[in-house]
Amino acid sequence: MMKKLINDPNQVVNDMLEGMVVAYRDRLRRLPGTNVIVRNDAPVKGKVGIVSGGGSGHEPAHAGYVGKGMLDAAVCGEVFTSPTPDQVLEAIKAVDSGKGVFLIIKNYTGDVMNFEMAAELAEAEGIRVAKVIVNDDVAVEDSTFTTGRRGIAGTVFVHKIAGALAERGASLEEVEAVAKKVVQNVRSMGMALTPCTVPAAGKPGFELGENEIEVGIGIHGEPGIEKTTLKTADEITETLLNKIFADMKLEKGDRVAVMINGLGATPLMELYIVNKKVSEILKEKQIHVHETFVGEYMTSLEMAGCSISLLKLDDSLIELLDAPADTIALKK
Amino acid sequence: MAFGVEQAKRWMNIANDKIQQQKQYLTELDQAIGDGDHGLNTARGFQEVVEKIASVNYEDLGSLFKDVSMTLIAKVGGASGPLYGTAFLKMSLALNGKKEADDKELVAALEAALSGIKARGKASVGEKTMVDVWEPVIELLREKGSMQAKEAALLAKEKMEHTKELEAKKGRAAYLGKRSVGHIDPGSASSYFLFAALAEALEG
Ligand SMILES: Nc1ncnc2c1ncn2[C@@H]1O[C@H](COP(=O)(O)OP(=O)(O)O)[C@@H](O)[C@H]1O
Ligand SMILES: [Mg+2]
């Protein structure tokens, strides 16, 4: 049986947004008749507007990152379903100050097409639009011939760094360049202990036995690399990190930011336990951790599990990562 | 053969009837290799389309298909929303200002729809998507040089069934890799219904 604190499975996104906007009305508003959340002062003069979004169910992503130094708007789709182009278009129009709008899209066929379509409609209305497609999930094989890797928690680093540069008045081209640089340097890998249930579906998206875990899970419960038996936090952490290292060139002396992201039902206690091992492994490899983020950044409803993201940094990325941000879910 | 506003409306009505009848079937196909929303997505979208176009007296085919496109874009969602939305947007541009389309013009408009789908989804034949139905059907019409709708519908059915053999390279089913073989692609099935509906609408 589905046990959730909701009223109507078909109204969860609306009810959530109303509750959110009322709580943070000093900084956010909802565009009337849409599921678009924008910062109160949008459009900000002289600034590239930054828009992201996707299906709901990943809270605090994406509306939690709307605010100074990060996103100007978040477009919230149905649970785990891409928002439609008309909604994305409304977001673009609401945040364009004349300097252009930048879209941060996670790599899912539906998201990419709906956002691209909105971009074309906006361009037809005379708004300049650029975009980046985030594909940090190393669980999925990357290939130019297929759909390719998915976008998961590493997306938050793109929001942070592109947002910081835009806040300084950089051009659309500059924002695009830095966002692409982040995408090239960020890798993530996740695992699930338990599945989650989409309210309208009423039953879990997949099944896991008493002692089973899914390694390489997607944030919508898409299948991972393999089902294995539950092991210690240290062993699981090692598996996840090794997969990331296999895909990312890191050398002695490199600097990284680390994100230990809870998928919704994993206590902070366990996330810290994971981070203990992550820091030990990185130390052993003589990789310097500039900053660690531990918490819920990109969840998957009530799924238990976590993802680990590493972002390789240089001086300019460090400066932007450290720059001020004032959003519900991330403050600097 | 004449293809005017009346025939176009009939096409959309028959397409909607078929999709409503097959909603459960499309859902099952998408549950097997996707996320199970294709039946709901297309049924919601085409229902809105027929409601929208029923009340309007269109001057030309372009404006009719523009409404079809905009409705699908806003109501379908997922991957198929922008794909079908783009297809009908390209048809709308191709038939702009035309009260009626002759055989050649209709084939050209369908050709434009296919190139829209391919530009949007960047899929080619063999990747287990709706392109596996659309491309061979349009090729057939182009070769015939006229609107052989019945033959087109038959070929669409055959090509839809053929997607069973294919391994998905694009769309959500691609995450399943080899596990996607043995199932019909849901978007190819709904595309077949569109071509079957077109044939019936043109029969009169
Ligand atoms: N890149 C693509 N090009 C063409 N068709 C695609 C592409 N990706 C997916 N499709 C089609 O879309 C269908 C799935 O639609 P739907 O279930 O509505 O969207 P989603 O996959 O986002 O849930 C697939 O069966 C396939 O035919
Ligand atoms: Mg689907």
mmCIF file of all heavy atoms in Angstrom, chain B residues 26-27 30-31 33-39 41 78-80 172 186, ligand 2:
data_model
loop_
_atom_site.group_PDB
_atom_site.id
_atom_site.type_symbol
_atom_site.label_atom_id
_atom_site.label_comp_id
_atom_site.label_asym_id
_atom_site.label_seq_id
_atom_site.Cartn_x
_atom_site.Cartn_y
_atom_site.Cartn_z
ATOM 1 N N LEU B 26 -1.107 0.916 -25.491
ATOM 2 C CA LEU B 26 0.077 1.787 -25.571
ATOM 3 C C LEU B 26 0.765 1.880 -24.206
ATOM 4 O O LEU B 26 1.995 1.908 -24.116
ATOM 5 C CB LEU B 26 -0.325 3.189 -26.052
ATOM 6 C CG LEU B 26 -0.804 3.279 -27.513
ATOM 7 C CD1 LEU B 26 -1.345 4.681 -27.808
ATOM 8 C CD2 LEU B 26 0.330 2.939 -28.475
ATOM 9 N N THR B 27 -0.037 1.920 -23.163
ATOM 10 C CA THR B 27 0.530 1.953 -21.808
ATOM 11 C C THR B 27 1.346 0.694 -21.535
ATOM 12 O O THR B 27 2.467 0.764 -21.033
ATOM 13 C CB THR B 27 -0.604 2.077 -20.762
ATOM 14 O OG1 THR B 27 -1.259 3.323 -20.975
ATOM 15 C CG2 THR B 27 -0.064 2.029 -19.339
ATOM 16 N N ASP B 30 4.645 0.725 -23.268
ATOM 17 C CA ASP B 30 5.610 1.637 -22.639
ATOM 18 C C ASP B 30 6.047 1.138 -21.262
ATOM 19 O O ASP B 30 7.159 1.414 -20.814
ATOM 20 C CB ASP B 30 5.019 3.049 -22.538
ATOM 21 C CG ASP B 30 6.095 4.122 -22.341
ATOM 22 O OD1 ASP B 30 7.224 3.931 -22.855
ATOM 23 O OD2 ASP B 30 5.821 5.132 -21.678
ATOM 24 N N GLN B 31 5.185 0.369 -20.594
ATOM 25 C CA GLN B 31 5.600 -0.206 -19.305
ATOM 26 C C GLN B 31 6.727 -1.210 -19.507
ATOM 27 O O GLN B 31 7.625 -1.326 -18.678
ATOM 28 C CB GLN B 31 4.419 -0.882 -18.609
ATOM 29 C CG GLN B 31 3.611 0.090 -17.767
ATOM 30 C CD GLN B 31 2.298 -0.500 -17.281
ATOM 31 O OE1 GLN B 31 1.812 -1.492 -17.831
ATOM 32 N NE2 GLN B 31 1.730 0.116 -16.274
ATOM 33 N N ILE B 33 9.155 -1.255 -21.823
ATOM 34 C CA ILE B 33 10.503 -0.752 -22.147
ATOM 35 C C ILE B 33 10.680 0.730 -21.837
ATOM 36 O O ILE B 33 11.701 1.325 -22.178
ATOM 37 C CB ILE B 33 10.870 -1.018 -23.630
ATOM 38 C CG1 ILE B 33 9.831 -0.402 -24.566
ATOM 39 C CG2 ILE B 33 11.039 -2.500 -23.884
ATOM 40 C CD1 ILE B 33 10.276 -0.405 -26.025
ATOM 41 N N GLY B 34 9.692 1.353 -21.201
ATOM 42 C CA GLY B 34 9.829 2.785 -20.890
ATOM 43 C C GLY B 34 9.310 3.043 -19.497
ATOM 44 O O GLY B 34 9.583 2.287 -18.585
ATOM 45 N N ASP B 35 8.514 4.104 -19.356
ATOM 46 C CA ASP B 35 8.014 4.449 -18.025
ATOM 47 C C ASP B 35 6.490 4.365 -17.949
ATOM 48 O O ASP B 35 5.901 4.811 -16.973
ATOM 49 C CB ASP B 35 8.503 5.845 -17.624
ATOM 50 C CG ASP B 35 8.132 6.886 -18.651
ATOM 51 O OD1 ASP B 35 7.565 6.514 -19.704
ATOM 52 O OD2 ASP B 35 8.396 8.077 -18.419
ATOM 53 N N GLY B 36 5.860 3.816 -18.986
ATOM 54 C CA GLY B 36 4.436 3.515 -18.889
ATOM 55 C C GLY B 36 3.486 4.675 -19.084
ATOM 56 O O GLY B 36 2.301 4.564 -18.784
ATOM 57 N N ASP B 37 3.988 5.805 -19.618
ATOM 58 C CA ASP B 37 3.087 6.958 -19.739
ATOM 59 C C ASP B 37 2.639 7.257 -21.174
ATOM 60 O O ASP B 37 1.864 8.184 -21.388
ATOM 61 C CB ASP B 37 3.736 8.213 -19.127
ATOM 62 C CG ASP B 37 5.040 8.587 -19.806
ATOM 63 O OD1 ASP B 37 5.491 7.845 -20.706
ATOM 64 O OD2 ASP B 37 5.624 9.624 -19.426
ATOM 65 N N HIS B 38 3.085 6.470 -22.144
ATOM 66 C CA HIS B 38 2.795 6.838 -23.540
ATOM 67 C C HIS B 38 1.299 6.821 -23.863
ATOM 68 O O HIS B 38 0.801 7.689 -24.577
ATOM 69 C CB HIS B 38 3.565 5.936 -24.504
ATOM 70 C CG HIS B 38 3.521 6.430 -25.917
ATOM 71 N ND1 HIS B 38 4.049 7.647 -26.289
ATOM 72 C CD2 HIS B 38 2.966 5.904 -27.040
ATOM 73 C CE1 HIS B 38 3.840 7.835 -27.585
ATOM 74 N NE2 HIS B 38 3.188 6.794 -28.063
ATOM 75 N N GLY B 39 0.576 5.834 -23.333
ATOM 76 C CA GLY B 39 -0.873 5.776 -23.555
ATOM 77 C C GLY B 39 -1.568 6.986 -22.951
ATOM 78 O O GLY B 39 -2.378 7.652 -23.603
ATOM 79 N N ASN B 41 -0.191 9.873 -22.112
ATOM 80 C CA ASN B 41 0.281 11.101 -22.760
ATOM 81 C C ASN B 41 -0.462 11.371 -24.072
ATOM 82 O O ASN B 41 -0.971 12.467 -24.304
ATOM 83 C CB ASN B 41 1.781 10.996 -23.088
ATOM 84 C CG ASN B 41 2.669 11.043 -21.846
ATOM 85 O OD1 ASN B 41 2.204 11.348 -20.749
ATOM 86 N ND2 ASN B 41 3.943 10.747 -22.009
ATOM 87 N N GLY B 78 6.574 14.449 -21.998
ATOM 88 C CA GLY B 78 7.485 13.349 -22.326
ATOM 89 C C GLY B 78 8.242 13.597 -23.614
ATOM 90 O O GLY B 78 8.433 14.745 -24.021
ATOM 91 N N ALA B 79 8.679 12.525 -24.257
ATOM 92 C CA ALA B 79 9.407 12.661 -25.511
ATOM 93 C C ALA B 79 8.441 12.805 -26.675
ATOM 94 O O ALA B 79 8.694 13.540 -27.633
ATOM 95 C CB ALA B 79 10.309 11.450 -25.725
ATOM 96 N N SER B 80 7.300 12.117 -26.604
ATOM 97 C CA SER B 80 6.408 12.118 -27.763
ATOM 98 C C SER B 80 5.714 13.461 -27.964
ATOM 99 O O SER B 80 5.339 13.798 -29.086
ATOM 100 C CB SER B 80 5.394 10.985 -27.665
ATOM 101 O OG SER B 80 4.725 11.014 -26.438
ATOM 102 N N ARG B 172 14.054 6.614 -23.808
ATOM 103 C CA ARG B 172 14.188 5.995 -22.501
ATOM 104 C C ARG B 172 14.530 4.502 -22.597
ATOM 105 O O ARG B 172 15.235 3.958 -21.745
ATOM 106 C CB ARG B 172 12.871 6.157 -21.754
ATOM 107 C CG ARG B 172 12.996 6.450 -20.304
ATOM 108 C CD ARG B 172 11.619 6.651 -19.701
ATOM 109 N NE ARG B 172 11.146 8.021 -19.798
ATOM 110 C CZ ARG B 172 11.503 8.980 -18.942
ATOM 111 N NH1 ARG B 172 12.314 8.730 -17.973
ATOM 112 N NH2 ARG B 172 11.030 10.195 -19.086
ATOM 113 N N PRO B 186 6.474 1.749 -28.339
ATOM 114 C CA PRO B 186 5.170 2.401 -28.170
ATOM 115 C C PRO B 186 4.926 3.573 -29.126
ATOM 116 O O PRO B 186 3.819 3.699 -29.677
ATOM 117 C CB PRO B 186 5.188 2.890 -26.720
ATOM 118 C CG PRO B 186 6.567 2.658 -26.198
ATOM 119 C CD PRO B 186 7.225 1.673 -27.075
HETATM 120 MG MG MG C 2 7.073 6.988 -21.676
#
